[in-house]
Amino acid sequence: MKFFSTFFLILFLINTSVFAGDKEDNIEQKGKLELLSQLNNTPAPSKLVDLNSRKFRAIVFSTFVPGSGQTFLGNQLKGIGFTLGFYGTVVTAVLAHANMVSREERIEVLTKEYRAAGNFPTAERVWRRIEFERGNRDNDHDRRQIFTIAAAGVWVLNMIDIIFLSSDAGLDEFASIPQNKNFNINFVADDDYSGIEFKLNLP
Amino acid sequence: MINMKRISILFFLLFICLLIVSCSEPVDIIDATHYDRVPRPVSLTAVADTTNEGSKYVVLSWAVNSTNNLRNFEVYRRLNVSNNFASRLFIEEMTFTDTLFTPTDSIAFYYVQPIGIDKFIGRNSDTLQVRLK
């Protein structure tokens, strides 16, 4: 639970910091220092982070969809690995959570049945089912914890990789289809377009 | 103009909040009460003999560890091996003399079932086999 909360707290902080500098479509927003420098005809202060760089976009992509930033920068295999790893663990954690909730509800029903039992054999039979469901529920709980931690771990590794370890393969080289391939699918980003690009070389 | 990015962020945060709230720890199950809700008869013993007139009889006795939530007992009996158990009678004491036998009966099985004040039927005693004399 702590890992889960920490994971989403980090996600929230990054999300906030990313979109704090967000700007409306086609409307350029300037900070106070920039406006002051413009009024005084002095050079604008240099930006600490270039929000329009490919690297920064890749970081934003990887924040929300782990692996997509790596793919965006041209490291496709690594990107696919992170994406599959993250969503695989997340889906498993969600399934384990759903199973756990179902078991909880089943235990609630059995508990009512147990309290209403009028004799020992019935109470004993219901009690054994409650214990059986508790065992399964605890297994689902453990599974959920393990895969949530794993998902958080994959996400953190993904962020470390995209920030410190991933190099940019370049837009042209990445977007073009290699000569030995007839079909390619890529993430692409131009000035006014970002999305998924399918390319097919006709014979 | 509605800023779709900010709405997306709001939904994203709402999703996270719901996700965290739903990740509660499992609630522990209740304690088992049926084992000692009604005290179980223990130490069931029997003495089989014949009267001077030649009638067979069996004297059963048992004990309980507590009398909390104890109303009475129901004694079950099975004559011979092939028959089924049948209720013999309800009794409040912890001893019972059974005289309802035919001359051909040679073996009897007994167990005692406790009944609570809340009408919960408790755990049976062990079954006792008695050879009639």
Side-chain angles (χ1 to χ4, degrees):
Chain A
M1 188 64 194
K2 286 178 183 173
F3 280 96
F4 200 66
S5 307
T6 312
F7 165 59
F8 282 109
L9 180 66
I10 293 167
L11 203 60
F12 169 71
L13 291 175
I14 290 175
N15 173 31
T16 309
S17 64
V18 165
F19 287 101
D22 191 17
K23 55 184 182 181
E24 298 284 344
D25 294 338
N26 303 323
I27 300 173
E28 189 180 0
Q29 292 184 344
K30 290 185 176 178
K32 288 178 183 176
L33 289 175
E34 285 177 312
L35 287 170
L36 278 173
S37 63
Q38 193 176 2
L39 285 172
N40 298 331
N41 286 326
T42 52
S46 60
K47 291 178 181 176
L48 189 63
V49 179
D50 182 6
L51 297 178
N52 292 318
S53 68
R54 281 172 52 81
K55 181 80 174 179
F56 188 78
R57 281 187 181 182
I59 292 171
V60 174
F61 289 161
S62 277
T63 302
F64 294 102
V65 182
S68 62
Q70 285 86 344
T71 308
F72 175 73
L73 291 179
N75 306 309
Q76 291 172 320
L77 282 178
K78 198 159 57 174
I80 290 169
F82 276 120
T83 304
L84 290 180
F86 179 77
Y87 284 105
T89 49
V90 164
V91 165
T92 310
V94 168
L95 287 177
H97 175 73
N99 285 340
M100 195 191 85
V101 170
S102 301
R103 304 273 185 202
E104 287 269 321
E105 290 171 357
R106 178 75 182 136
I107 287 172
E108 273 184 37
V109 172
L110 287 171
T111 302
K112 287 178 185 172
E113 200 176 323
Y114 174 77
R115 288 190 170 126
N119 56 55
F120 182 86
T122 306
E124 176 68 7
R125 179 175 48 82
V126 176
W127 180 253
R128 288 189 186 281
R129 282 161 65 189
I130 288 175
E131 286 191 319
F132 174 73
E133 292 295 340
R134 178 179 63 176
N136 287 335
R137 182 202 62 182
D138 290 347
N139 288 340
D140 286 329
H141 176 254
D142 293 345
R143 204 171 292 127
R144 186 190 78 178
Q145 298 295 87
I146 290 167
F147 280 96
T148 301
I149 293 167
V154 171
W155 187 83
V156 169
L157 281 177
N158 151 72
M159 292 310 294
I160 291 171
D161 178 76
I162 195 66
I163 292 170
F164 299 110
L165 305 176
S166 287
S167 57
D168 191 353
L171 179 65
D172 293 335
E173 184 184 346
F174 168 64
S176 63
I177 305 177
Q179 289 182 349
N180 58 347
K181 283 187 180 178
N182 288 328
F183 174 76
N184 200 15
I185 174 172
N186 288 314
F187 286 102
V188 293
D190 290 327
D191 288 339
D192 55 350
Y193 171 74
S194 295
I196 300 172
E197 181 181 67
F198 292 93
K199 285 191 174 181
L200 179 65
N201 275 345
L202 295 173
Chain B
M1 183 181 171
I2 299 171
N3 190 333
M4 291 304 291
K5 280 184 182 175
R6 294 195 189 284
I7 291 175
S8 303
I9 292 168
L10 281 176
F11 273 107
F12 180 70
L13 291 176
L14 181 66
F15 169 74
I16 289 170
C17 291
L18 288 174
L19 209 59
I20 291 172
V21 167
S22 65
C23 287
S24 56
E25 291 296 310
V27 181
D28 204 7
I29 61 172
I30 57 171
D31 293 327
T33 56
H34 65 292
Y35 290 112
D36 53 0
R37 186 166 161 182
V38 179
R40 185 189 186 199
V42 293
S43 308
L44 179 63
T45 55
V47 176
D49 208 344
T50 309
T51 62
N52 293 333
E53 291 79 24
S55 302
K56 297 175 179 176
Y57 70 92
V58 171
V59 179
L60 282 176
S61 62
W62 59 92
V64 288
N65 294 325
S66 156
T67 55
N68 291 335
N69 191 28
L70 183 61
R71 187 171 68 171
N72 58 4
F73 302 95
E74 187 172 8
V75 179
Y76 281 82
R77 183 185 75 172
R78 184 176 79 178
L79 286 174
N80 304 318
V81 179
S82 57
N83 297 334
N84 294 323
F85 277 97
S87 175
R88 183 70 182 80
L89 86 164
F90 290 91
I91 189 170
E92 292 186 4
E93 292 79 29
M94 283 179 274
T95 181
F96 163 62
T97 303
D98 190 4
T99 56
L100 198 62
F101 297 104
T102 61
T104 57
D105 293 332
S106 60
I107 192 167
F109 299 88
Y110 292 93
Y111 70 82
V112 181
Q113 191 175 70
I115 300 170
I117 295 169
D118 59 0
K119 296 183 180 176
F120 184 83
I121 299 170
R123 192 176 183 182
N124 299 339
S125 69
D126 292 331
T127 302
L128 186 68
Q129 177 181 336
V130 183
R131 292 198 172 276
L132 303 175
K133 292 183 178 176

